[in-house]
Amino acid sequence: MDKKVILLVEDDPDDEALTLRALKTNNVRNKVVVAQDGVEALDYLLGTGKHADRDPEEMPVLVLLDLNLPKVDGLEVLRRLRAEERTSILPVVILTSSEEEQDLIKGYKLGANSYIRKPVNFIRFAEAIKQLGLYWLVLNEPPPLLGNKR
Amino acid sequence: MPAFRDTLPTDLFKRVAIICCVGVIGFAFLGLVSQYSGVLVLSSIRPNYIPMAASTAWCFLLLGAILLLETLGSLSAWARAGAKTVTVLVAVFGLLNSLEPIIDVGLSFEEKLFPTTQRFGEVFTNRISPLTAFIFFLAGINLLLILRRKDQTIIRHLEGFLGFLVTTCGFICTMGYLFGTPLLYGGAVIPVALSTAGAFLLLGVGLVAGAGPEALPLQLLVGPSTRAKLLRVFLPLTVGAILLQSLLHKYVTALFRNQALGAAMFALGFALITGGLVAVVGRALGRALERAEAALIQAHNELEQKVQERTAALITANNSLQKEIGERQRAEKEILELNQRLKERLREIMEKKVQLEAANKELESFSYAVSHDLRAPLRIIDGFSQALREDCSDKLDSQGQDYLMRILRNTQRMEELIDSLLVLSRLTRREMRREKVDLGEIAQKLTDNLRESDPQRQVEMVIAPGLEGEGDPSMLRVVLENLLDNAWKFTGKKAEARIEVGALPKKDGPRVFYVRDNGAGFDMAFKDKLFGAFQRLHGKDEFPGNGVGLATVQRIIHRHGGRVWAEGAVDQGAVVYFTLSPIG
């Protein structure tokens, strides 16, 4: 279970701290890797840039993707991930404060597996994180690894 | 003077013809009586003149009678045929007898009909003169033409001409007698009797009259033309004067012993008479001409006046036409200018619309960004406050706990506000539909919801029937939801709460709907603040709310092009009125 890494793409450190706390209080003990912008997230997942030395075999079990990101925004990250074969079926959950209809439509069209709007109320937010962890990390069977092994 | 009359009695010629015929018949009787009684002087007039021959008298009788009957119009078809035959016989008889002395073939059967032994000089008294016979031939042809009744101009002229010829012959013969010149009445052969000459004179005139005024020579004398008028006066006058002069000269000079004196006296007298006559006629003529000229001048003046009047009228009409044209041109120009201005206005409006759309879009993205970006820090505040409460509650005393609770409460309020703002901004962005909406039905559903959510409340709800409007169903639902929520809320402290949804009686213009309650009401002094966003007229602890509800209502009504306004009084309740299309 520890090997199952969660990638949290979040630029706001306060949001990051709250999300990590919510995961912790809900007993999600997986390793959480944080990427603070879209470029870093792509580097991590595709093994490029500053994550070029990372073992690409080691795919996160879940990506929690914010949409409003510096450099490359969330939807663009999603589009590039789906374009790569290895990450094309990687479970990606959009976790955002946006409830714009257009964002929902684009997110799902680009292949998001789920779309969660962060509630302002922390109690509800924590509850959402709890459900999320339970579903994606326990109930859901992750997809097999795709692509050439180097 | 009758000669100057413009018109002649229509039956004048007929009457003349009848009188002449009667005269001819009279002469014929005279001739017959003289021949058969032997009193020859009856037709010879003077013993030394030749009497009328019996055949001549018969011919006159026949031709005169036929012309009379024809003129009276009393000839039947058969009688006409008979008359024609008789006329032909007379003409043939005339022709044969006129040819007798030339070819001497004894064609004449006159001797058998009228045997005679009496002589007048060298000729038999009861023999027709060849001259007379020839004139009968002409008269017979003339009468035959009249009897044929062919209404051809040339024939009519021929009739008139032959009649004139007969008249002239009779006249010449008569003159011969008057001047004592036998040569003129056929003295060389058998002479024409004086009575015969007179009868021919009458017959000729009758034939000319019978030919009618349209035929020559009468045509020259008849009618209103000056030529005819002058001819009517001067022809008889000159002919009469000359004849009279020659006759008088013959007889008057004989009365004087001194022939030169006689001639001089006669000339003087005749000159006086002629001069007097000419003076009288000239005066009459002059008057007539002056009258005609005066009439002409008057007619000319009248015409001139009429022309001037017409010209004046024409000028007036022209002026008014010019004026009208000017006005039209002015109006046209005005229309063009108006059109131009309208186009400019339209362009301005289009520009404004584009600007407005841009501004709206900007506002949208702004309000979206604001509500979106406001939410993020709010979540952080709420999240860490919560974390503080959960993780560090042991380090906080009751006061600290209370502060924390206040922070949490306000973050929650802030969230609600942001949500309301989002709803409001979405309303402006969404496409609007227009269809028939039953406001009463929506109000009923909303009322049911309210009763369900707050079952303890006793509220009398009155929803008028037939509340049909036209608009966007979901937007109108939001309108009624806000209004009913407010009414429900503000009647919360009333023992007998009453909420009414209805419409004002129909008048001109769009329907006015309303939601009325008997709740807390409001001070009319603040009625302008009612519809502004975040404006509240009541304390939070009194009635909860964020002040966006009526702003939302107003936004929706304005998007429909309608108007919304409110009336109320403190503790007397409030009414919110709205329309779904522009007033006026």
Side-chain angles (χ1 to χ4, degrees):
Chain A
M1 197 185 198
D2 287 357
K3 285 185 97 180
K4 290 181 178 173
V5 171
I6 297 172
L7 178 65
L8 173 66
V9 190
E10 174 63 70
D11 64 320
D12 186 337
D14 293 333
D15 247 329
E16 177 195 327
L18 277 180
T19 309
L20 290 177
R21 182 176 177 275
L23 286 170
K24 204 176 93 189
T25 43
N26 284 303
N27 296 318
V28 178
R29 306 222 179 280
N30 299 53
K31 182 186 170 190
V32 179
V33 176
V34 178
Q36 294 193 326
D37 59 55
V39 173
E40 198 182 339
L42 285 170
D43 279 346
Y44 181 84
L45 288 171
L46 304 175
T48 53
K50 74 174 184 181
H51 291 287
D53 54 341
R54 200 183 69 84
D55 181 7
E57 297 283 308
E58 228 176 86
M59 270 297 176
V61 70
L62 178 70
V63 178
L64 297 174
L65 182 64
D66 193 7
L67 289 184
N68 199 6
L69 294 173
K71 295 179 187 174
V72 177
D73 77 19
L75 288 172
E76 177 62 16
V77 170
L78 182 58
R79 197 187 63 76
R80 292 205 205 163
L81 287 183
R82 292 309 184 219
E84 281 294 323
E85 195 185 5
R86 272 184 302 140
T87 53
S88 60
I89 55 170
L90 184 67
V92 175
V93 172
I94 293 174
L95 191 65
T96 179
S97 48
S98 166
E99 54 177 6
E100 197 61 3
E101 204 176 38
Q102 282 304 312
D103 285 347
L104 265 164
I105 293 168
K106 278 181 197 159
Y108 277 115
K109 271 197 176 164
L110 287 172
N113 298 77
S114 186
Y115 191 109
I116 288 162
R117 190 192 155 218
K118 293 184 216 169
V120 170
N121 187 301
F122 183 77
I123 296 171
R124 295 215 311 270
F125 178 61
E127 178 65 24
I129 291 293
K130 182 183 162 189
Q131 299 284 346
L132 195 107
L134 201 66
Y135 181 79
W136 287 106
L137 302 174
V138 182
L139 276 177
N140 188 49
E141 201 63 46
L145 221 61
L146 291 179
N148 295 335
K149 291 178 181 176
R150 274 196 263 178
Chain B
M1 201 173 261
F4 286 116
R5 280 204 316 218
D6 282 352
T7 52
L8 298 164
T10 43
D11 60 345
L12 174 71
F13 300 101
K14 201 173 157 183
R15 272 192 274 164
V16 168
I18 290 166
I19 290 165
C20 290
C21 289
V22 171
V24 169
I25 293 166
F27 272 115
F29 272 116
L30 210 59
L32 288 175
V33 169
S34 71
Q35 281 297 337
Y36 292 111
S37 67
V39 188
L40 292 176
V41 80
L42 277 176
S43 65
S44 64
I45 314 296
R46 274 179 151 190
N48 58 336
Y49 290 169
I50 192 168
M52 188 188 283
S55 53
T56 305
W58 279 112
C59 286
F60 275 128
L61 187 64
L62 292 171
L63 293 186
I66 288 169
L67 184 59
L68 181 65
L69 292 173
E70 170 65 12
T71 309
L72 291 170
S74 49
L75 278 177
S76 67
W78 285 105
R80 180 181 300 280
K84 276 183 193 170
T85 314
V86 171
T87 310
V88 169
L89 287 175
V90 170
V92 169
F93 175 76
L95 183 64
L96 291 178
N97 276 296
S98 62
L99 291 175
E100 176 89 17
I102 301 167
I103 48 179
D104 195 18
V105 287
L107 283 171
S108 172
F109 39 86
E110 193 190 16
E111 287 167 49
K112 280 141 193 140
L113 284 173
F114 311 105
T116 180
T117 50
Q118 214 175 347
R119 283 182 173 262
F120 178 80
E122 288 173 10
V123 298
F124 292 103
T125 47
N126 203 14
R127 284 290 165 270
I128 191 165
S129 157
L131 193 56
T132 305
F134 185 69
I135 300 172
F136 273 129
F137 170 63
L138 294 179
I141 289 180
N142 192 345
L143 188 59
L144 200 61
L145 289 174
I146 290 175
L147 285 171
R148 280 181 72 223
R149 287 197 162 172
K150 283 275 164 71
D151 202 15
Q152 277 174 292
T153 318
I154 185 83
I155 303 286
R156 297 301 282 276
H157 287 323
L158 189 59
E159 289 168 12
F161 173 71
L162 287 173
F164 182 67
L165 218 54
V166 172
T167 314
T168 310
C169 290
F171 185 71
I172 290 169
C173 294
T174 312
M175 285 302 110
Y177 278 105
L178 286 176
F179 287 95
T181 314
L183 188 66
L184 286 178
Y185 52 85
V189 284
I190 306 170
V192 177
L194 178 55
S195 54
T196 303
F200 273 132
L201 205 54
L202 286 175
L203 184 63
V205 171
L207 286 170
V208 169
E214 288 97 35
L216 285 170
L218 277 183
Q219 195 194 40
L220 298 172
L221 300 170
V222 174
S225 73
T226 313
R227 182 202 63 192
K229 280 181 189 174
L230 291 175
L231 273 178
R232 283 207 291 272
V233 176
F234 283 106
L235 202 64
L237 196 66
T238 36
V239 170
I242 289 164
L243 287 177
L244 194 66
Q245 193 228 10
S246 12
L247 281 174
L248 287 177
H249 188 262
K250 184 172 182 258
Y251 295 108
V252 172
T253 45
L255 295 176
F256 290 87
R257 289 215 186 126
N258 187 334
Q259 284 216 343
L261 180 68
M265 288 308 289
F266 171 75
L268 188 65
F270 197 78
L272 279 173
I273 293 168
T274 318
L277 263 176
V278 167
V280 168
V281 171
R283 227 180 82 192
L285 258 180
R287 275 193 196 148
L289 281 174
E290 274 163 19
R291 266 206 306 278
E293 201 177 345
L296 198 66
I297 287 170
Q298 197 189 341
H300 177 79
N301 286 346
E302 275 170 17
L303 197 68
E304 185 74 14
Q305 198 186 341
K306 266 186 193 162
V307 166
Q308 277 174 3
E309 277 170 15
R310 288 300 287 271
T311 308
L314 218 60
I315 286 170
T316 313
N318 209 16
N319 282 347
S320 67
L321 204 66
Q322 286 289 346
K323 209 166 132 195
E324 202 173 309
I325 287 171
E327 270 166 25
R328 280 204 186 168
Q329 279 172 344
R330 223 174 5 257
E332 217 165 277
K333 208 174 140 199
E334 264 170 41
I335 286 171
L336 277 177
E337 274 171 19
L338 276 175
N339 237 345
Q340 192 59 39
R341 254 188 281 167
L342 209 65
K343 272 186 195 159
E344 276 167 25
R345 281 298 299 276
L346 202 66
R347 201 166 43 78
E348 277 170 28
I349 288 171
M350 290 310 286
E351 272 173 19
K352 283 249 171 71
K353 197 183 161 210
V354 170
Q355 284 172 2
L356 205 68
E357 274 169 4
N360 244 347
K361 229 176 197 146
E362 245 170 68
L363 201 69
E364 288 324 313
S365 57
F366 174 75
S367 73
Y368 169 69
V370 165
S371 56
H372 195 261
D373 293 344
L374 282 179
R375 202 195 290 274
L378 195 64
R379 204 176 54 248
I380 308 293
I381 294 168
D382 189 82
F384 282 107
S385 305
Q386 204 68 41
L388 205 61
R389 204 167 69 102
E390 284 170 12
D391 297 352
C392 314
S393 57
D394 51 336
K395 288 167 197 158
L396 283 173
D397 57 8
S398 60
Q399 197 180 18
Q401 299 268 359
D402 177 49
Y403 292 163
L404 209 53
M405 285 317 289
R406 282 176 195 273
I407 292 172
L408 283 169
R409 252 203 326 272
N410 276 285
T411 50
Q412 196 188 331
R413 259 189 61 205
M414 184 80 176
E415 191 193 1
E416 281 168 11
L417 273 175
I418 291 167
D419 282 349
S420 301
L421 268 183
L422 270 180
V423 169
L424 194 59
S425 98
R426 272 203 199 113
L427 279 175
T428 336
R429 257 185 304 174
R430 252 194 45 201
E431 279 293 312
M432 207 186 79
R433 287 183 295 164
R434 250 193 196 280
E435 53 191 63
K436 280 229 181 304
V437 181
D438 187 346
L439 294 178
E441 195 186 315
I442 296 175
Q444 190 56 57
K445 276 183 190 160
L446 291 168
T447 307
D448 293 346
N449 289 350
L450 284 168
R451 285 198 201 283
E452 213 171 290
S453 65
D454 206 353
Q456 295 94 337
R457 287 280 306 277
Q458 290 292 318
V459 181
E460 186 192 353
M461 290 290 301
V462 181
I463 298 170
L467 290 180
E468 289 219 328
E470 221 176 62
D472 187 300
S474 56
M475 287 192 189
L476 292 182
R477 191 192 151 86
V478 173
V479 167
L480 286 175
E481 192 171 21
N482 274 295
L483 295 180
L484 285 173
D485 276 354
N486 275 353
W488 190 269
K489 188 165 66 185
F490 291 116
T491 51
K493 289 170 185 166
K494 287 276 172 182
E496 288 178 5
R498 182 187 152 93
I499 298 171
E500 197 186 328
V501 184
L504 294 181
K506 272 193 180 174
K507 273 193 230 157
D508 288 347
R511 247 183 135 184
V512 179
F513 301 98
Y514 63 84
V515 175
R516 187 197 308 271
D517 67 65
N518 61 347
F522 63 93
D523 187 341
M524 280 297 271
F526 304 118
K527 69 178 160 81
D528 293 335
K529 285 192 161 190
L530 222 53
F531 294 97
F534 307 116
Q535 298 283 350
R536 293 176 48 83
L537 299 182
H538 299 276
K540 277 256 143 68
D541 45 350
E542 205 182 351
F543 295 104
N546 54 32
V548 183
L550 283 181
T552 308
V553 167
Q554 191 183 45
R555 174 66 65 92
I556 290 171
I557 295 302
H558 283 181
R559 279 207 71 184
H560 279 80
R563 243 191 76 192
V564 58
W565 68 100
E567 283 170 10
V570 176
D571 285 331
Q572 304 277 308
V575 200
V576 179
Y577 299 97
F578 64 91
T579 69
L580 296 178
S581 47
I583 293 175

